[in-house]
Amino acid sequence: MERAHESAVNDRVFQTGVRKLVQDSWQRSLSLSLDPARVTPDRTLTDAELRGLRNQHPLAAVLPIVHNLLIRHAFDVGLLVAVGDETGRLLWIDGDRVLRRQVEEMLFVEGADWSEGRVGTSAPGTALALDRGIQIWRAEHFNALAHPWSCTAVPIHDPDTGEILGVIDITGGDQAVAPQTLPLVEAAVAAMEADLRIARLDRPTGFSRAHRLHVSPPPRSPRVVAASMSVLGTDNGRVHCGEGSVDVSPRHAEILTLLAWHREGLSADRLSTLLSDQGTGVETLRAEMVRVRKVLALLESVHTIASRPYRLEFPFELDAQRVLAFLDRGAHRVALGAYRGAVLPGSNAPGIVEIRMEVSRRLREALLSDASVDLLLSYARTEEATWDTEVWRACLELLPARSPKRAMVVAQLARIEGEIGTRRNILQRSRS
């Protein structure tokens, strides 16, 4: 029987000229005596066992990120999103309901083991085996039951140890392996790993291997560690670094934002001008810089700010810069999911206003020029675009003629026009 399976696989290689990556995976599958005609994942878990695995798994903390960036959009495009653990066991599956019932025939269900060692070549199993993001097209699956479907999967790593925590998989038709799908999932994984790191900051013992084994790590000398700060949708900054974090005042958040944006450094005169139309004053600025340095000294690392010019001498990233990086990679959906609001919205500092406008403009232009209608509608519903007639009109143009969503868009455009008319009348009466 095993020889017959190997012969069938060799015939497929000869007939289709399959990719070497897939051929190697097929050979690994054959070496495990897997049957390409049927799926044999291990026993189905009870509800209690599955619930226990979910509750204990670190990826449970970032499921809202998965839902926001991937799952809530999967319903509209006929896709499934699955999250598995480091062994390939599927812990969560969500998305198109019809597709979910269809894939149950090949036992693609929550609790099933879809590692390469159990079902052969598949995106989640092979991504874990190779520790890299991959796409598997229809007949590239080792098992014939999976041939109607395609999938893209990317491993998720522990941001502290680099160990594989699990895998995220997109399954469906040809759209599941579209050129933009792999970078989209990779960007989503990057956002998950970043949020996982932030979520651990308030836990003194973290998730490192040393802590799990209840072994105290050796004392460490002061070191330079990359830091980050959230400035989207908030006026008070919070600097994150390693396992520590510290709150900063609105003024210190402005200073750090400007220095992060101008990595080459800023003179005292230039920085004071960017902080205030009237100029904060060099002496006042110097006093603030002393306070900023004291705040950064609270972190368990060496974070210094050079003078002449003022310049950050350690890696420092803003969440706003992360949004722009996602846009540059074409991951518009992930960028919108990471965009939690305007940069330091309460700040009137000229330099901050300029940064705020640049981030907002680049996000708006990218979505208007190259976003799907569903993504553009998601943007239109944000506070920033609620009254943007160009965005709503673009949605109307992209929607199919018989789409039930057109009525909502037309109603919003009418609402905007009505509000503009009301304001115009008030202005005219005030002038008369």
Coordinates of all heavy atoms in Angstrom, one line a residue, residues 230-236 319 339-346:
S230 N 3.3 54.6 22.1 CA 2.0 54.7 21.5 C 1.6 56.2 21.5 O 1.5 56.8 22.6 CB 1.0 53.9 22.2 OG 1.4 52.5 22.2
V231 N 1.3 56.7 20.3 CA 0.9 58.1 20.2 C -0.4 58.3 19.4 O -0.9 59.4 19.3 CB 2.0 59.0 19.6 CG1 3.3 59.0 20.4 CG2 2.3 58.5 18.2
L232 N -0.9 57.2 18.9 CA -2.1 57.2 18.1 C -3.4 57.2 19.0 O -3.6 56.3 19.8 CB -2.2 56.1 17.2 CG -1.2 56.1 16.0 CD1 -1.2 54.8 15.3 CD2 -1.3 57.2 15.1
G233 N -4.2 58.3 18.9 CA -5.4 58.3 19.7 C -5.3 58.6 21.1 O -6.2 58.4 21.9
T234 N -4.1 59.1 21.5 CA -3.9 59.4 23.0 C -3.0 60.6 23.1 O -2.1 60.9 22.2 CB -3.2 58.2 23.7 OG1 -3.0 58.5 25.0 CG2 -1.9 57.9 23.0
D235 N -3.1 61.4 24.2 CA -2.3 62.5 24.4 C -1.2 62.2 25.4 O -0.1 62.9 25.4 CB -3.2 63.7 25.0 CG -4.1 64.2 23.9 OD1 -3.8 64.3 22.8 OD2 -5.3 64.5 24.3
N236 N -1.4 61.3 26.3 CA -0.3 60.9 27.2 C 0.4 59.7 26.6 O -0.2 58.7 26.2 CB -1.0 60.5 28.6 CG -1.6 61.7 29.2 OD1 -0.9 62.6 29.7 ND2 -2.9 61.7 29.3
D319 N 4.1 53.9 17.2 CA 3.1 53.1 16.6 C 2.6 53.8 15.3 O 2.2 53.1 14.3 CB 1.9 52.9 17.5 CG 1.3 54.1 18.1 OD1 1.8 55.2 17.9 OD2 0.2 54.0 18.7
Y339 N -4.2 51.6 13.2 CA -4.4 53.1 13.3 C -5.5 53.3 14.3 O -6.7 53.2 14.0 CB -4.8 53.7 11.9 CG -4.9 55.2 11.9 CD1 -3.7 55.9 12.0 CD2 -6.1 55.8 11.8 CE1 -3.8 57.3 12.0 CE2 -6.2 57.2 11.8 CZ -5.0 58.0 11.9 OH -5.1 59.3 11.9
R340 N -5.2 53.7 15.5 CA -6.1 53.8 16.6 C -6.6 55.3 16.8 O -7.3 55.6 17.7 CB -5.5 53.3 17.9 CG -5.2 51.8 17.9 CD -4.7 51.4 19.2 NE -4.6 49.9 19.3 CZ -3.5 49.3 18.9 NH1 -2.4 49.9 18.5 NH2 -3.4 48.0 19.0
G341 N -6.2 56.2 15.9 CA -6.6 57.6 15.9 C -5.5 58.5 15.5 O -4.4 58.0 15.2
A342 N -5.7 59.8 15.6 CA -4.7 60.8 15.2 C -3.6 60.8 16.1 O -3.7 60.4 17.3 CB -5.4 62.1 15.1
V343 N -2.4 61.3 15.6 CA -1.2 61.4 16.5 C -1.4 62.5 17.5 O -1.7 63.6 17.2 CB 0.0 61.7 15.6 CG1 1.2 62.0 16.4 CG2 0.3 60.6 14.6
L344 N -1.3 62.1 18.8 CA -1.4 63.1 19.9 C -2.5 64.1 19.6 O -2.2 65.3 19.4 CB -0.1 63.8 20.2 CG 1.1 62.8 20.5 CD1 2.4 63.6 20.7 CD2 0.8 62.1 21.8
P345 N -3.8 63.7 19.5 CA -4.8 64.6 19.0 C -5.0 65.9 19.7 O -5.5 66.8 19.1 CB -6.1 63.7 19.1 CG -5.7 62.6 20.1 CD -4.3 62.4 20.0
G346 N -4.6 66.0 21.0 CA -4.8 67.2 21.7 C -3.7 68.2 21.6 O -3.8 69.3 22.1

